[in-house]
Amino acid sequence: MTTFYGEHSKVWVSVDCIIFGFDEGKLRILIGKRQMDPGRGEWSLYGGFVRSDESLDDAANRVLYDLTGLRNLYMRQVGAFGSVDRDPGERVISIAYYALINVNDYEDRLRKEHGVEWVNIDDIPQLYSDHNEMVRKALKLMRQKIKSEPIGFRLLPSLFTLTQLQRLYEAIHGEELDKRNFRKRIKEMDFIEKTELIDKKGSKRGASLYRFNKRIYNEDPNFKL
């Protein structure tokens, strides 16, 4: 096979995944202790090197599936991180992605197998290399995106209460929302459907359960919250 670019130095390319989940009213990310040198034992995002026969998106999807066992996750690229000294092992350029999953869909067996933990977004420890910067940028992008696209439903079960929905938005934005204004806005959105089901976990009276109707949203996606 003909070899080109032999006069140029080589660099490694990796992907790192910021996996967001929502549980008990808190926004969380999945991190674990690094199991390789350099940085063995340090808290880190989950990632891997891009193979010669795969695109960046394919590599990120592979890493996400290896960790979660889930396919067709909501995933978006955060950006490239390429400081010369970001990895003391080799010259590594990393492409970061963020993904959203329903915590209940993630088997605890896989979490233990990979040695990762859900950590509240406000309690993230110092991570390996520039991973904290990746998380900050991913959170900023997600906050922008959720204003114009209902991506938050990827973090919720198929049936949810309005209280759960409000707490999700509060967790993502990091601030409390006015309950009356929030519910008024939600009721104007035809794609958030009220069902006949009641969630009685919180009280004897219970709370109505809602669901996201993707078909209706696709017909009129003029969403802003």
Side-chain angles (χ1 to χ4, degrees):
M1 182 176 68
T2 304
T3 302
F4 298 99
Y5 314 125
E7 70 274 20
H8 298 286
S9 59
K10 296 182 179 180
V11 299
W12 296 88
V13 179
S14 66
V15 292
D16 284 295
C17 296
I18 303 106
I19 303 174
F20 290 107
F22 178 70
D23 190 35
E24 297 182 350
K26 301 290 185 179
L27 183 66
R28 302 181 177 184
I29 67 167
L30 208 54
I31 61 174
K33 293 293 184 71
R34 191 169 164 87
Q35 298 178 10
M36 60 185 295
D37 293 319
R40 186 184 297 272
E42 295 182 29
W43 287 106
S44 171
L45 297 173
Y46 196 82
F49 287 102
V50 179
R51 297 170 180 171
S52 60
D53 61 346
E54 62 185 3
S55 68
L56 293 174
D57 285 0
D58 288 342
N61 276 311
R62 170 177 55 81
V63 168
L64 286 171
Y65 179 73
D66 287 346
L67 178 61
T68 68
L70 302 173
R71 297 191 186 277
N72 301 317
L73 295 174
Y74 180 90
M75 179 188 78
R76 292 293 184 273
Q77 191 178 116
V78 174
F81 295 78
S83 297
V84 174
D85 59 350
R86 64 174 302 275
D87 192 311
E90 292 286 352
R91 179 76 171 93
V92 180
I93 295 173
S94 181
I95 313 300
Y97 287 79
Y98 78 86
L100 310 179
I101 72 172
N102 181 349
V103 171
N104 293 328
D105 290 339
Y106 184 37
E107 292 187 26
D108 203 51
R109 172 186 60 83
L110 286 174
R111 183 190 64 78
K112 294 178 180 179
E113 180 180 313
H114 289 285
V116 292
E117 298 180 17
W118 287 110
V119 176
N120 291 343
I121 196 71
D122 295 327
D123 300 325
I124 300 173
Q126 181 60 47
L127 303 177
Y128 176 75
S129 184
D130 49 12
H131 289 190
N132 287 87
E133 181 183 352
M134 292 179 181
V135 174
R136 285 192 293 270
K137 187 172 182 180
L139 184 58
K140 181 180 179 180
L141 291 174
M142 183 170 63
R143 284 172 174 169
Q144 294 172 345
K145 191 70 170 177
I146 202 170
K147 293 178 181 179
S148 60
E149 185 178 331
I151 62 174
F153 296 104
R154 301 277 186 159
L155 296 166
L156 290 171
S158 58
L159 295 173
F160 52 86
T161 66
L162 291 185
T163 297
Q164 285 177 303
L165 184 60
Q166 180 172 340
R167 287 179 178 172
L168 169 64
Y169 275 83
E170 290 175 337
I172 291 175
H173 290 293
E175 61 183 14
E176 291 186 11
L177 301 175
D178 181 80
K179 181 178 179 179
R180 181 178 298 178
N181 290 337
F182 181 83
R183 298 202 172 196
K184 179 181 178 181
R185 185 71 185 97
I186 291 300
K187 290 180 179 179
E188 295 173 352
M189 301 174 184
D190 293 337
F191 56 85
I192 300 179
E193 295 182 329
K194 184 178 181 179
T195 72
E196 297 179 354
L197 301 174
I198 301 294
D199 178 15
K200 295 187 177 181
K201 295 179 181 178
S203 66
K204 291 183 179 179
R205 181 181 177 184
S208 296
L209 287 168
Y210 291 73
R211 64 187 171 201
F212 171 64
N213 188 314
K214 186 176 182 180
R215 179 185 59 79
I216 294 178
Y217 171 75
N218 289 337
E219 293 175 354
D220 185 20
N222 295 318
F223 172 81
K224 188 175 182 181
L225 183 62

